[in-house]
Amino acid sequence: MSTLTAPIEAPPANPGRPAYRVTGKRVLSSEWAKLWSLRSTWITLGLGLLFLVAFGLIASSRYKSGIGSGHMDPDFADSTAVSLSLFGTNFAQLALGVLGVLVMAGEYSTGMIRSTMAAVPRRLPVLWAKAAVFGLVTLVVGTLGAFITFGFGSGIVSGTPAAMSLTHAGVVRSLLGAGLYLGLVGVIGTALGALLRSVAGGISVLVGALMLIPGLVSLLPSSWRGDISPYLPSNAGASMFALTHDSTTLSPTAGLLVFLGWTALALAGAAYRLVRRDV
């Protein structure tokens, strides 16, 4: 006597559940959404733009009043419309660099980094996406601010020895260089946030590298200072948007390459720690 058995059908795997894949585009989209969901992003970007524009216009107005009164400040004697318009770059870089640190280190302070790495187990795409998104945003903000400030600043100093227009040689290159410099500062800030995993630590290193170390190097003997100073991050970056150069500064191309090297070094350190250390 034989027994008939019905074939057993295997239940469908995860019915109705779509299969998601982690792709570069989706990681970029996620980081873009996270960036603009933070109130600090809007505030700090606004401050960076305000510093760039406000200090540039203040410098232009001070130069104009000095010319009119006949009592020119020696620090402004050789200024041009470009240098006056970009006077606020040193202040804007702090705001944008600090925001870059917050973009990455802020996730460690809140614990959100665990969810981020659970969604993207390979880790490095998160760093590349954050650096790319924030670098692009700061590049646009910096470039826009530089051209806006020059547009108003050149009108203020019109009719003075500092007067220039966009058609003058090197003006557009300087304004674009300032925007690129601020964009790379944002990337360095993001890298420092991933490397140090501390908001306070990242900001301290950023301020030290961009503002304190150049002052300390100025205390060295002149023979050493001339060999070291042009290659510091802030000095190399400044040569990217300087209109004129001398024997003590780098050319715009050399300054860009040196600053790209510093940016790559910060990203490499951040990538190494992100891969080798647990979150």
Side-chain angles (χ1 to χ4, degrees):
M1 184 175 182
S2 61
T3 303
L4 298 177
T5 58
I8 300 176
E9 296 182 359
N14 299 325
R17 182 177 179 180
Y20 290 105
R21 294 177 60 249
V22 177
T23 63
K25 182 179 179 180
R26 285 173 175 166
V27 177
L28 285 170
S29 177
S30 173
E31 295 303 329
W32 178 268
K34 283 194 289 184
L35 177 66
W36 294 111
S37 65
L38 298 174
R39 185 181 302 173
S40 59
T41 298
W42 298 91
I43 295 174
T44 314
L45 285 177
L47 285 175
L49 185 60
L50 176 64
F51 290 158
L52 185 59
V53 175
F55 282 102
L57 296 182
I58 290 172
S60 299
S61 299
R62 184 174 177 182
Y63 177 88
K64 180 74 171 182
S65 63
I67 288 290
S69 64
H71 300 286
M72 174 60 65
D73 189 326
D75 294 334
F76 289 89
D78 298 326
S79 297
T80 64
V82 172
S83 63
L84 293 170
S85 298
L86 299 181
F87 185 82
T89 303
N90 288 336
F91 302 95
Q93 71 179 356
L94 290 181
L96 299 178
V98 166
L99 181 57
V101 174
L102 289 171
V103 164
M104 192 70 195
E107 291 203 21
Y108 284 95
S109 62
T110 61
M112 185 178 178
I113 191 66
R114 298 185 182 91
S115 300
T116 299
M117 295 309 174
V120 189
R122 292 177 60 188
R123 298 190 178 188
L124 285 184
V126 173
L127 176 62
W128 309 143
K130 282 184 180 292
V133 167
F134 188 67
L136 178 62
V137 170
T138 49
L139 170 65
V140 172
V141 170
T143 304
L144 181 64
F147 276 91
I148 290 175
T149 309
F150 179 80
F152 287 101
S154 60
I156 294 175
V157 299
S158 177
T160 69
M164 302 183 80
S165 66
L166 286 174
T167 57
H168 280 76
V171 171
V172 173
R173 189 267 305 161
S174 295
L175 299 178
L176 292 176
L180 180 57
Y181 170 69
L182 293 174
L184 291 175
V185 167
V187 173
I188 290 177
T190 305
L192 290 176
L195 177 62
L196 301 175
R197 303 185 176 186
S198 166
V199 173
I203 293 174
S204 298
V205 172
L206 180 74
V207 173
L210 295 180
M211 303 193 71
L212 298 183
I213 292 180
L216 294 175
V217 170
S218 65
L219 301 177
L220 295 175
S222 58
S223 58
W224 294 8
R225 186 169 62 246
D227 294 331
I228 297 175
S229 182
Y231 300 95
L232 295 177
S234 57
N235 292 340
S239 66
M240 293 168 54
F241 55 85
L243 194 61
T244 59
H245 300 81
D246 53 36
S247 59
T248 63
T249 60
L250 299 175
S251 66
T253 302
L256 173 60
L257 293 176
V258 170
F259 200 69
L260 284 174
W262 285 110
T263 306
L265 182 63
L267 285 172
Y272 178 81
R273 189 172 189 197
L274 196 61
V275 171
R276 302 288 294 183
R277 297 291 298 274
D278 194 6
V279 297

